[in-house]
Amino acid sequence: MKKIAVINGPNMNMLGTREPDKYGTLSLAELTAVIAKKAAELGARCEFFADNSEGALVSAIQNASDSDGVILNAAAYTHYSLAIRDAIAAIDAPVVEVHMSNVAAREAFRRESVIAPVCMGSIAGFGIQSYILALYALLEM
Ligand code: DQA
């Protein structure tokens, strides 16, 4: 059975109440349950991790090196964390960058992703479906 790590960065623990116009009304626990259910349907298993701090995310990415793929919403760190970029580059597992909102259609600073060049690909703008699309992509590769 393929093992996929799902890693969420800062403020994603506020999903449900955080800017619902941009991120919807599902909590992180509910989002996790939807992804886990879809993974089970597809014959895969997800391991979930979420943290607000950069170092914890770096460690989670390193720890996911033995997985078959990583779905990563690095949230605001996407736009400036070279430590997270280096962690992605350091592991063999393919990493898909995801965002719930369409970052290309928001503030200028969100248009830059320092992690995109070391990810397998990026999916943004589909809410929770961004994660599901990433799951399909990783399981099909
Ligand atoms: C986000 C987009 C980021 O720019 C933002 O900082 C987030 C969430 C998204 O899922 O749309 O926290 O990654």
Side-chain angles (χ1 to χ4, degrees):
M1 183 182 269
K2 286 196 174 173
K3 184 175 78 175
I4 305 295
V6 182
I7 300 174
N8 276 291
N11 299 304
M12 300 306 287
N13 60 320
M14 299 290 288
L15 282 182
T17 54
R18 174 194 183 199
E19 301 184 87
D21 53 316
K22 297 185 182 72
Y23 304 117
T25 53
L26 283 191
S27 67
L28 182 59
E30 290 165 333
L31 175 123
T32 296
V34 172
I35 300 167
K37 184 166 176 281
K38 178 56 78 178
E41 281 169 24
L42 298 172
R45 181 168 63 86
C46 286
E47 284 182 354
F48 296 92
F49 181 85
D51 205 280
N52 287 324
S53 62
E54 190 178 26
L57 294 168
V58 167
S59 296
I61 292 164
Q62 292 176 0
N63 291 337
S65 61
D66 68 338
S67 67
D68 295 293
V70 180
I71 298 172
L72 174 64
N73 187 342
Y77 288 134
T78 301
H79 313 300
Y80 67 93
S81 173
L82 300 181
I84 288 177
R85 176 195 165 115
D86 284 354
I88 297 167
I91 64 168
D92 288 333
V95 178
V96 177
E97 171 189 9
V98 301
H99 301 286
M100 300 185 82
S101 64
N102 181 1
V103 282
R106 298 181 62 190
E107 301 94 328
F109 70 86
R110 292 186 208 277
R111 284 183 216 137
E112 186 185 3
S113 167
V114 299
I115 68 171
V118 289
C119 287
M120 187 174 84
S122 306
I123 301 171
F126 300 99
I128 184 173
Q129 295 303 322
S130 292
Y131 293 84
I132 304 296
L133 292 167
L135 185 61
Y136 275 111
L138 284 169
L139 295 179
E140 286 295 323
M141 295 305 288

